[in-house]
Amino acid sequence: MATVPLNAPGQALSAQRAELLAITARVIDSGWLIHGPEHRAFESELATFLGTTFALGVASGTDALEIALRAVHDDDDRRRTVITVANAGGYTSTAARAAGFEVAYCDVDPASHCLNPAALESVLDDSVFAVVVTHLYGRAADVGAVRALCEPRGIKVIEDCAQSIGARTQQGRAGSLGDIATFSFYPTKNLGALGDGGAIATSDSALGERVGLLRQYGWSSKYRITTQGARNSRLDEVQAAVLRFRLPLVDDWNERRRWIIRQYADAASDRIHVLEAGGPWHSAHLAVVETSDAAELARHLERRDVQTAVHYPIPDHLQRAFATTPPARLPVTENLVGRILSLPCFPELEDAEVGQVCAALASY
Ligand SMILES: *Cc1c(COP(=O)(O)O)cnc(C)c1O
């Protein structure tokens, strides 16, 4: 039995080899490598897809977070704290610290694993200027409830959509629900580039303009530096052209991902709880299960040639580089760590491979 991989971005590359070569040739022939026609078109097509006024390309999802945080900060030095969750891989913590902001954590909801609005109120104080809501595993988090708490306090809401592109709620797509949103096009995300890439979306024209300045040296026009805290973070023409080709495929790919998770949910033994991902409000980026002993389940699956991983094994507040004294207490987040496991989930996974995972889940 061949091993079912957790991820295989190479399979999408070989399936699209001819198109990707033609796209690369088109960019080479255009003579544009940075901020040219492909980039302009991608920004406009992404904004249309999301239902926002602006989408701006940047170099990665982490850059997108850092630039979005800088964009929403209003230079009030009494307010320099960002609130986020500690179970989403540490990207927001990295970005906030790179920008010189403080980070504090809010616990998550035990069912959705996303930020728990009921736990948010107690961590919102006068030092907070932004809350980053991660649509974890692809599940659209409850942005409305977060906004209801933040807006009266003048706190901005940033959606981290690195895992959730395409997820659609009754209020609109993930990325159109807060003040500003960030995306990653890392190759294994639901919309992947041929390398690194990211984007920021907003319908606030002042924020959109600020992002445009912050991502390119603070230039208001060439060589005229008017904005502090800026840097260089650009999405190149090859990535933009590849993303234009792939963006219209995302909804179908997400449907296939949801189908895979449904098969796992139907097959799993009653010792395994497959996190729900059954509707368009979920991009099914990761197939995550909960069980009393995730390490034991991982060994069971490994013996049946199924790769797994933990997203994520160390919560931010327990990372050595981020530790605070006294350490934050996040009981729900901490309790989930030994219980979660991610299963293979990507559109190119074959039915027989899904069947192999299902059989392994059923026999546990
Ligand atoms: C992948 C990811 C990021 C970071 O994206 P990069 O492009 O790798 O910098 C940020 N947030 C979440 C939730 C992610 O999954």
Side-chain angles (χ1 to χ4, degrees), residues 36-361:
E38 299 289 348
H39 185 256
R40 204 170 321 119
F42 174 62
E43 288 189 331
S44 145
E45 289 157 14
L46 179 61
T48 302
F49 176 86
L50 297 172
T52 59
T53 313
F54 304 94
L56 295 104
V58 294
S60 74
T62 309
D63 277 8
L65 284 163
E66 184 185 332
I67 292 168
L69 284 165
R70 289 181 185 274
V72 302
H73 189 251
D74 60 4
D75 291 327
D76 179 349
D77 276 333
R78 288 162 306 179
R79 294 181 19 139
R80 297 193 64 83
T81 301
V82 179
I83 302 285
T84 192
V85 291
N87 67 337
Y91 308 101
T92 295
S93 298
T94 298
R97 294 166 72 99
F101 298 127
E102 307 289 324
V103 184
Y105 299 103
C106 177
D107 213 346
V108 298
D109 177 85
S112 73
H113 299 203
C114 291
L115 187 144
N116 184 354
L120 181 59
E121 191 146 23
S122 67
V123 292
L124 291 181
D125 61 27
D126 291 342
S127 73
V128 176
F129 74 95
V131 174
V132 178
V133 183
T134 306
H135 299 297
L136 193 66
Y137 309 145
R139 181 194 179 106
D142 189 353
V143 178
V146 174
R147 284 182 68 166
L149 290 167
C150 288
E151 260 165 21
R153 296 171 165 87
I155 297 169
K156 297 289 195 220
V157 177
I158 300 173
E159 300 174 75
D160 180 352
C161 302
Q163 303 187 353
S164 66
I165 192 159
R168 200 195 310 245
T169 73
Q170 307 225 307
Q171 287 71 42
R173 297 242 196 207
S176 68
L177 309 172
D179 292 295
I180 192 165
T182 64
F183 295 83
S184 165
F185 307 123
Y186 182 78
T188 59
K189 306 291 189 190
N190 290 35
L191 174 61
L194 292 189
D196 274 319
I200 297 171
T202 182
S203 292
D204 178 323
S205 51
L207 284 180
E209 192 180 328
R210 241 175 98 64
V211 168
L213 297 165
L214 287 167
R215 75 167 169 190
Q216 184 159 250
Y217 318 120
W219 282 356
S220 56
S221 59
K222 204 163 191 183
Y223 306 135
R224 184 178 297 273
I225 302 165
T226 55
T227 299
Q228 283 186 32
R231 43 176 302 187
N232 165 27
S233 180
R234 291 181 297 224
L235 183 69
D236 67 64
E237 286 290 282
V238 171
Q239 305 311 335
V242 168
L243 293 166
R244 288 185 70 197
F245 164 60
R246 288 178 166 178
L247 180 62
L249 307 173
V250 162
D251 281 334
D252 284 349
W253 278 339
N254 287 358
E255 191 56 52
R256 171 77 183 167
R257 288 170 177 272
R258 284 192 290 267
W259 179 84
I260 292 168
I261 296 181
R262 225 162 28 240
Q263 307 315 302
Y264 296 165
D266 289 347
S269 80
D270 56 15
R271 296 179 62 198
I272 302 167
H273 168 63
V274 179
L275 263 65
E276 213 196 325
W281 43 274
H282 208 301
S283 75
H285 174 61
L286 290 172
V288 176
V289 304
E290 231 184 290
T291 184
S292 56
D293 185 347
E296 185 195 292
L297 175 59
R299 285 191 296 274
H300 172 88
L301 293 171
E302 193 187 351
R303 283 195 295 272
R304 284 153 187 82
D305 294 308
V306 175
Q307 270 186 6
T308 62
V310 177
H311 295 95
Y312 293 92
I314 307 173
D316 294 23
H317 66 299
L318 303 178
Q319 294 282 6
R320 198 181 337 159
F322 300 157
T324 54
T325 36
R329 284 284 298 125
L330 301 166
V332 180
T333 298
E334 287 160 30
N335 178 253
L336 285 174
V337 170
R339 302 172 54 85
I340 50 172
L341 197 66
S342 305
L343 309 175
C345 184
F346 53 93
E348 297 79 22
L349 206 56
E350 284 173 13
D351 290 1
E353 296 177 302
V354 175
Q356 185 176 328
V357 179
C358 286
L361 292 173

